[in-house]
Amino acid sequence: MLEHINPPENRIPGISQAVRVRKGELVFLSGHVPYAADGSLPEGFAAQLEQVFANLAATLAASGASFDDVVRLTIYILDYDPSMLADFRAVRDRFINASAPPASALVGVAALFQPGVLVEIDAIAAVSD
């Protein structure tokens, strides 16, 4: 159902340049933020990232999907600095298939929707019929 595409000249490890959806239904996940079910906001980038991915997993499951079905991620990180990439990948790779990752974009932003929120992620999943 999914074909991960990387042209031979791709020099960036750990990414998919494109993901082709051969069949199925699309599920669009709005921007997920790091609030826990009790309304609390974890402290620190890695803890917030972990919570966002857990929130995404819950929404995927409620949609009949999993991270194996995710074809696109867009990650928004407050005051992004390249030194944050290792922490980001360490958390992300516990949730996705790192050998066939979804197409993605990481965007550094000056602000997110609420003070204290450090990361927001939206996604697209392709669920097989």
Side-chain angles (χ1 to χ4, degrees), residues 9-44:
E9 56 277 354
N10 177 19
R11 304 259 190 276
I12 304 171
I15 68 164
S16 291
Q17 292 294 101
V19 180
R20 172 186 269 164
V21 179
R22 295 212 175 261
K23 62 181 179 176
E25 296 179 346
L26 296 179
V27 179
F28 294 85
L29 289 78
S30 65
H32 280 56
V33 293
Y35 287 99
D38 66 3
S40 64
L41 183 64
E43 289 189 33

mmCIF file of all heavy atoms in Angstrom, residues 9-44:
data_model
loop_
_atom_site.group_PDB
_atom_site.id
_atom_site.type_symbol
_atom_site.label_atom_id
_atom_site.label_comp_id
_atom_site.label_asym_id
_atom_site.label_seq_id
_atom_site.Cartn_x
_atom_site.Cartn_y
_atom_site.Cartn_z
ATOM 1 N N GLU A 9 20.311 10.006 -5.499
ATOM 2 C CA GLU A 9 21.145 11.127 -5.041
ATOM 3 C C GLU A 9 20.746 11.656 -3.660
ATOM 4 O O GLU A 9 21.338 12.598 -3.167
ATOM 5 C CB GLU A 9 21.138 12.262 -6.067
ATOM 6 C CG GLU A 9 19.781 12.799 -6.429
ATOM 7 C CD GLU A 9 19.037 11.988 -7.504
ATOM 8 O OE1 GLU A 9 19.590 11.047 -8.083
ATOM 9 O OE2 GLU A 9 17.875 12.310 -7.733
ATOM 10 N N ASN A 10 19.759 11.017 -3.008
ATOM 11 C CA ASN A 10 19.357 11.424 -1.658
ATOM 12 C C ASN A 10 20.524 11.202 -0.707
ATOM 13 O O ASN A 10 21.020 10.091 -0.572
ATOM 14 C CB ASN A 10 18.128 10.622 -1.219
ATOM 15 C CG ASN A 10 17.716 10.954 0.191
ATOM 16 O OD1 ASN A 10 18.086 11.988 0.725
ATOM 17 N ND2 ASN A 10 16.955 10.088 0.804
ATOM 18 N N ARG A 11 20.935 12.234 -0.027
ATOM 19 C CA ARG A 11 22.094 12.142 0.866
ATOM 20 C C ARG A 11 21.734 12.344 2.335
ATOM 21 O O ARG A 11 22.601 12.463 3.167
ATOM 22 C CB ARG A 11 23.130 13.183 0.472
ATOM 23 C CG ARG A 11 23.577 13.090 -0.969
ATOM 24 C CD ARG A 11 24.925 12.395 -1.068
ATOM 25 N NE ARG A 11 25.500 12.498 -2.392
ATOM 26 C CZ ARG A 11 25.218 11.685 -3.400
ATOM 27 N NH1 ARG A 11 24.352 10.728 -3.254
ATOM 28 N NH2 ARG A 11 25.810 11.825 -4.566
ATOM 29 N N ILE A 12 20.448 12.398 2.647
ATOM 30 C CA ILE A 12 20.043 12.630 4.026
ATOM 31 C C ILE A 12 19.567 11.307 4.618
ATOM 32 O O ILE A 12 18.532 10.781 4.211
ATOM 33 C CB ILE A 12 18.933 13.687 4.121
ATOM 34 C CG1 ILE A 12 19.375 14.989 3.458
ATOM 35 C CG2 ILE A 12 18.538 13.927 5.577
ATOM 36 C CD1 ILE A 12 18.280 16.020 3.313
ATOM 37 N N PRO A 13 20.300 10.729 5.557
ATOM 38 C CA PRO A 13 19.873 9.443 6.132
ATOM 39 C C PRO A 13 18.669 9.608 7.050
ATOM 40 O O PRO A 13 18.442 10.666 7.631
ATOM 41 C CB PRO A 13 21.111 8.999 6.933
ATOM 42 C CG PRO A 13 21.813 10.272 7.262
ATOM 43 C CD PRO A 13 21.538 11.223 6.125
ATOM 44 N N GLY A 14 17.879 8.561 7.156
ATOM 45 C CA GLY A 14 16.784 8.544 8.112
ATOM 46 C C GLY A 14 15.534 9.269 7.677
ATOM 47 O O GLY A 14 14.679 9.563 8.511
ATOM 48 N N ILE A 15 15.384 9.569 6.375
ATOM 49 C CA ILE A 15 14.179 10.227 5.896
ATOM 50 C C ILE A 15 13.668 9.522 4.647
ATOM 51 O O ILE A 15 14.397 8.779 3.999
ATOM 52 C CB ILE A 15 14.390 11.722 5.577
ATOM 53 C CG1 ILE A 15 15.299 11.894 4.349
ATOM 54 C CG2 ILE A 15 14.920 12.482 6.779
ATOM 55 C CD1 ILE A 15 15.247 13.271 3.749
ATOM 56 N N SER A 16 12.419 9.748 4.318
ATOM 57 C CA SER A 16 11.856 9.365 3.029
ATOM 58 C C SER A 16 11.571 10.662 2.286
ATOM 59 O O SER A 16 10.894 11.539 2.819
ATOM 60 C CB SER A 16 10.560 8.575 3.202
ATOM 61 O OG SER A 16 10.819 7.305 3.758
ATOM 62 N N GLN A 17 12.069 10.774 1.065
ATOM 63 C CA GLN A 17 11.814 11.969 0.274
ATOM 64 C C GLN A 17 10.347 12.047 -0.125
ATOM 65 O O GLN A 17 9.796 13.126 -0.275
ATOM 66 C CB GLN A 17 12.684 11.980 -0.977
ATOM 67 C CG GLN A 17 14.167 12.158 -0.693
ATOM 68 C CD GLN A 17 14.491 13.508 -0.111
ATOM 69 O OE1 GLN A 17 14.683 13.638 1.089
ATOM 70 N NE2 GLN A 17 14.566 14.516 -0.940
ATOM 71 N N ALA A 18 9.710 10.905 -0.324
ATOM 72 C CA ALA A 18 8.302 10.852 -0.701
ATOM 73 C C ALA A 18 7.727 9.505 -0.273
ATOM 74 O O ALA A 18 8.464 8.535 -0.111
ATOM 75 C CB ALA A 18 8.139 11.030 -2.208
ATOM 76 N N VAL A 19 6.418 9.475 -0.097
ATOM 77 C CA VAL A 19 5.708 8.241 0.187
ATOM 78 C C VAL A 19 4.500 8.195 -0.744
ATOM 79 O O VAL A 19 3.674 9.104 -0.730
ATOM 80 C CB VAL A 19 5.244 8.148 1.655
ATOM 81 C CG1 VAL A 19 4.497 6.846 1.896
ATOM 82 C CG2 VAL A 19 6.429 8.262 2.610
ATOM 83 N N ARG A 20 4.436 7.154 -1.557
ATOM 84 C CA ARG A 20 3.303 6.980 -2.468
ATOM 85 C C ARG A 20 2.264 6.099 -1.792
ATOM 86 O O ARG A 20 2.584 5.041 -1.257
ATOM 87 C CB ARG A 20 3.753 6.329 -3.765
ATOM 88 C CG ARG A 20 2.576 5.955 -4.665
ATOM 89 C CD ARG A 20 3.018 5.190 -5.863
ATOM 90 N NE ARG A 20 3.286 6.164 -6.917
ATOM 91 C CZ ARG A 20 3.979 5.900 -8.009
ATOM 92 N NH1 ARG A 20 4.496 4.706 -8.194
ATOM 93 N NH2 ARG A 20 4.151 6.822 -8.916
ATOM 94 N N VAL A 21 1.025 6.548 -1.823
ATOM 95 C CA VAL A 21 -0.097 5.780 -1.289
ATOM 96 C C VAL A 21 -0.758 5.090 -2.472
ATOM 97 O O VAL A 21 -1.309 5.745 -3.354
ATOM 98 C CB VAL A 21 -1.117 6.691 -0.560
ATOM 99 C CG1 VAL A 21 -2.279 5.877 -0.038
ATOM 100 C CG2 VAL A 21 -0.426 7.453 0.564
ATOM 101 N N ARG A 22 -0.710 3.775 -2.493
ATOM 102 C CA ARG A 22 -1.250 3.028 -3.625
ATOM 103 C C ARG A 22 -2.751 2.796 -3.502
ATOM 104 O O ARG A 22 -3.442 2.690 -4.491
ATOM 105 C CB ARG A 22 -0.519 1.713 -3.774
ATOM 106 C CG ARG A 22 0.946 1.938 -4.129
ATOM 107 C CD ARG A 22 1.462 0.833 -5.000
ATOM 108 N NE ARG A 22 2.808 1.104 -5.439
ATOM 109 C CZ ARG A 22 3.091 1.606 -6.628
ATOM 110 N NH1 ARG A 22 2.162 1.898 -7.477
ATOM 111 N NH2 ARG A 22 4.350 1.813 -6.956
ATOM 112 N N LYS A 23 -3.269 2.665 -2.285
ATOM 113 C CA LYS A 23 -4.711 2.550 -2.082
ATOM 114 C C LYS A 23 -5.002 2.778 -0.606
ATOM 115 O O LYS A 23 -4.117 2.726 0.229
ATOM 116 C CB LYS A 23 -5.249 1.202 -2.545
ATOM 117 C CG LYS A 23 -4.687 0.007 -1.798
ATOM 118 C CD LYS A 23 -5.263 -1.276 -2.340
ATOM 119 C CE LYS A 23 -4.678 -2.465 -1.602
ATOM 120 N NZ LYS A 23 -5.265 -3.710 -2.032
ATOM 121 N N GLY A 24 -6.258 3.003 -0.289
ATOM 122 C CA GLY A 24 -6.663 3.207 1.093
ATOM 123 C C GLY A 24 -7.353 4.539 1.286
ATOM 124 O O GLY A 24 -7.591 5.285 0.336
ATOM 125 N N GLU A 25 -7.654 4.834 2.528
ATOM 126 C CA GLU A 25 -8.284 6.096 2.912
ATOM 127 C C GLU A 25 -7.274 6.950 3.654
ATOM 128 O O GLU A 25 -6.408 6.427 4.362
ATOM 129 C CB GLU A 25 -9.478 5.832 3.826
ATOM 130 C CG GLU A 25 -10.588 5.072 3.164
ATOM 131 C CD GLU A 25 -11.748 4.816 4.117
ATOM 132 O OE1 GLU A 25 -11.590 4.987 5.338
ATOM 133 O OE2 GLU A 25 -12.808 4.456 3.611
ATOM 134 N N LEU A 26 -7.399 8.257 3.507
ATOM 135 C CA LEU A 26 -6.504 9.168 4.206
ATOM 136 C C LEU A 26 -7.147 9.661 5.490
ATOM 137 O O LEU A 26 -8.343 9.945 5.530
ATOM 138 C CB LEU A 26 -6.145 10.360 3.322
ATOM 139 C CG LEU A 26 -5.360 10.040 2.058
ATOM 140 C CD1 LEU A 26 -5.102 11.320 1.258
ATOM 141 C CD2 LEU A 26 -4.050 9.343 2.379
ATOM 142 N N VAL A 27 -6.334 9.774 6.536
ATOM 143 C CA VAL A 27 -6.743 10.343 7.813
ATOM 144 C C VAL A 27 -5.820 11.529 8.060
ATOM 145 O O VAL A 27 -4.599 11.382 8.064
ATOM 146 C CB VAL A 27 -6.623 9.317 8.964
ATOM 147 C CG1 VAL A 27 -7.021 9.946 10.282
ATOM 148 C CG2 VAL A 27 -7.437 8.070 8.672
ATOM 149 N N PHE A 28 -6.416 12.710 8.262
ATOM 150 C CA PHE A 28 -5.650 13.923 8.505
ATOM 151 C C PHE A 28 -5.714 14.244 9.995
ATOM 152 O O PHE A 28 -6.799 14.457 10.535
ATOM 153 C CB PHE A 28 -6.229 15.088 7.687
ATOM 154 C CG PHE A 28 -6.082 14.892 6.204
ATOM 155 C CD1 PHE A 28 -7.016 14.163 5.489
ATOM 156 C CD2 PHE A 28 -4.993 15.429 5.542
ATOM 157 C CE1 PHE A 28 -6.879 13.976 4.120
ATOM 158 C CE2 PHE A 28 -4.850 15.251 4.171
ATOM 159 C CZ PHE A 28 -5.793 14.516 3.463
ATOM 160 N N LEU A 29 -4.568 14.262 10.648
ATOM 161 C CA LEU A 29 -4.493 14.555 12.073
ATOM 162 C C LEU A 29 -4.073 16.003 12.248
ATOM 163 O O LEU A 29 -3.015 16.414 11.759
ATOM 164 C CB LEU A 29 -3.498 13.633 12.770
ATOM 165 C CG LEU A 29 -3.932 12.178 12.917
ATOM 166 C CD1 LEU A 29 -3.780 11.408 11.628
ATOM 167 C CD2 LEU A 29 -3.163 11.516 14.028
ATOM 168 N N SER A 30 -4.906 16.767 12.932
ATOM 169 C CA SER A 30 -4.596 18.180 13.164
ATOM 170 C C SER A 30 -3.372 18.296 14.059
ATOM 171 O O SER A 30 -2.878 17.308 14.600
ATOM 172 C CB SER A 30 -5.793 18.872 13.807
ATOM 173 O OG SER A 30 -6.023 18.345 15.091
ATOM 174 N N GLY A 31 -2.903 19.518 14.227
ATOM 175 C CA GLY A 31 -1.738 19.745 15.075
ATOM 176 C C GLY A 31 -1.969 19.205 16.479
ATOM 177 O O GLY A 31 -2.899 19.614 17.159
ATOM 178 N N HIS A 32 -1.144 18.254 16.874
ATOM 179 C CA HIS A 32 -1.215 17.672 18.214
ATOM 180 C C HIS A 32 -0.179 18.349 19.094
ATOM 181 O O HIS A 32 0.945 18.603 18.659
ATOM 182 C CB HIS A 32 -0.975 16.164 18.154
ATOM 183 C CG HIS A 32 -2.182 15.392 17.738
ATOM 184 N ND1 HIS A 32 -2.852 15.629 16.563
ATOM 185 C CD2 HIS A 32 -2.845 14.393 18.367
ATOM 186 C CE1 HIS A 32 -3.879 14.805 16.476
ATOM 187 N NE2 HIS A 32 -3.897 14.043 17.552
ATOM 188 N N VAL A 33 -0.565 18.641 20.297
ATOM 189 C CA VAL A 33 0.285 19.345 21.248
ATOM 190 C C VAL A 33 0.528 18.458 22.466
ATOM 191 O O VAL A 33 -0.108 17.415 22.625
ATOM 192 C CB VAL A 33 -0.334 20.709 21.635
ATOM 193 C CG1 VAL A 33 -0.344 21.642 20.422
ATOM 194 C CG2 VAL A 33 -1.736 20.551 22.170
ATOM 195 N N PRO A 34 1.434 18.866 23.360
ATOM 196 C CA PRO A 34 1.884 17.970 24.413
ATOM 197 C C PRO A 34 1.070 17.930 25.701
ATOM 198 O O PRO A 34 1.591 17.556 26.749
ATOM 199 C CB PRO A 34 3.307 18.466 24.689
ATOM 200 C CG PRO A 34 3.269 19.905 24.358
ATOM 201 C CD PRO A 34 2.302 20.026 23.221
ATOM 202 N N TYR A 35 -0.198 18.288 25.658
ATOM 203 C CA TYR A 35 -0.996 18.197 26.875
ATOM 204 C C TYR A 35 -1.370 16.747 27.156
ATOM 205 O O TYR A 35 -1.805 16.024 26.263
ATOM 206 C CB TYR A 35 -2.267 19.048 26.768
ATOM 207 C CG TYR A 35 -1.978 20.531 26.870
ATOM 208 C CD1 TYR A 35 -1.897 21.319 25.739
ATOM 209 C CD2 TYR A 35 -1.766 21.128 28.108
ATOM 210 C CE1 TYR A 35 -1.611 22.663 25.820
ATOM 211 C CE2 TYR A 35 -1.482 22.475 28.205
ATOM 212 C CZ TYR A 35 -1.403 23.240 27.067
ATOM 213 O OH TYR A 35 -1.108 24.582 27.157
ATOM 214 N N ALA A 36 -1.206 16.326 28.407
ATOM 215 C CA ALA A 36 -1.600 14.989 28.837
ATOM 216 C C ALA A 36 -3.113 14.955 29.035
ATOM 217 O O ALA A 36 -3.774 16.009 29.054
ATOM 218 C CB ALA A 36 -0.882 14.627 30.139
ATOM 219 N N ALA A 37 -3.671 13.775 29.204
ATOM 220 C CA ALA A 37 -5.117 13.614 29.379
ATOM 221 C C ALA A 37 -5.647 14.405 30.573
ATOM 222 O O ALA A 37 -6.784 14.869 30.560
ATOM 223 C CB ALA A 37 -5.457 12.138 29.524
ATOM 224 N N ASP A 38 -4.817 14.590 31.594
ATOM 225 C CA ASP A 38 -5.251 15.341 32.778
ATOM 226 C C ASP A 38 -5.076 16.852 32.621
ATOM 227 O O ASP A 38 -5.309 17.622 33.553
ATOM 228 C CB ASP A 38 -4.510 14.843 34.025
ATOM 229 C CG ASP A 38 -3.007 15.119 33.992
ATOM 230 O OD1 ASP A 38 -2.506 15.744 33.026
ATOM 231 O OD2 ASP A 38 -2.322 14.677 34.942
ATOM 232 N N GLY A 39 -4.642 17.282 31.425
ATOM 233 C CA GLY A 39 -4.473 18.712 31.165
ATOM 234 C C GLY A 39 -3.102 19.261 31.513
ATOM 235 O O GLY A 39 -2.828 20.432 31.268
ATOM 236 N N SER A 40 -2.249 18.429 32.067
ATOM 237 C CA SER A 40 -0.911 18.905 32.436
ATOM 238 C C SER A 40 -0.021 19.014 31.202
ATOM 239 O O SER A 40 -0.240 18.359 30.187
ATOM 240 C CB SER A 40 -0.276 17.970 33.467
ATOM 241 O OG SER A 40 -0.068 16.682 32.905
ATOM 242 N N LEU A 41 0.988 19.862 31.324
ATOM 243 C CA LEU A 41 1.947 20.101 30.256
ATOM 244 C C LEU A 41 3.325 19.681 30.758
ATOM 245 O O LEU A 41 3.852 20.288 31.701
ATOM 246 C CB LEU A 41 1.946 21.588 29.878
ATOM 247 C CG LEU A 41 2.843 22.019 28.729
ATOM 248 C CD1 LEU A 41 2.399 21.381 27.423
ATOM 249 C CD2 LEU A 41 2.826 23.544 28.604
ATOM 250 N N PRO A 42 3.919 18.639 30.180
ATOM 251 C CA PRO A 42 5.250 18.202 30.638
ATOM 252 C C PRO A 42 6.278 19.323 30.468
ATOM 253 O O PRO A 42 6.138 20.180 29.588
ATOM 254 C CB PRO A 42 5.585 17.035 29.718
ATOM 255 C CG PRO A 42 4.294 16.598 29.127
ATOM 256 C CD PRO A 42 3.426 17.818 29.078
ATOM 257 N N GLU A 43 7.305 19.271 31.298
ATOM 258 C CA GLU A 43 8.387 20.255 31.203
ATOM 259 C C GLU A 43 9.518 19.691 30.357
ATOM 260 O O GLU A 43 9.859 18.523 30.471
ATOM 261 C CB GLU A 43 8.901 20.604 32.591
ATOM 262 C CG GLU A 43 7.915 21.429 33.401
ATOM 263 C CD GLU A 43 8.530 21.946 34.683
ATOM 264 O OE1 GLU A 43 9.744 22.243 34.702
ATOM 265 O OE2 GLU A 43 7.790 22.067 35.666
ATOM 266 N N GLY A 44 10.074 20.521 29.503
ATOM 267 C CA GLY A 44 11.234 20.132 28.711
ATOM 268 C C GLY A 44 10.853 19.595 27.336
ATOM 269 O O GLY A 44 9.788 19.015 27.137
#
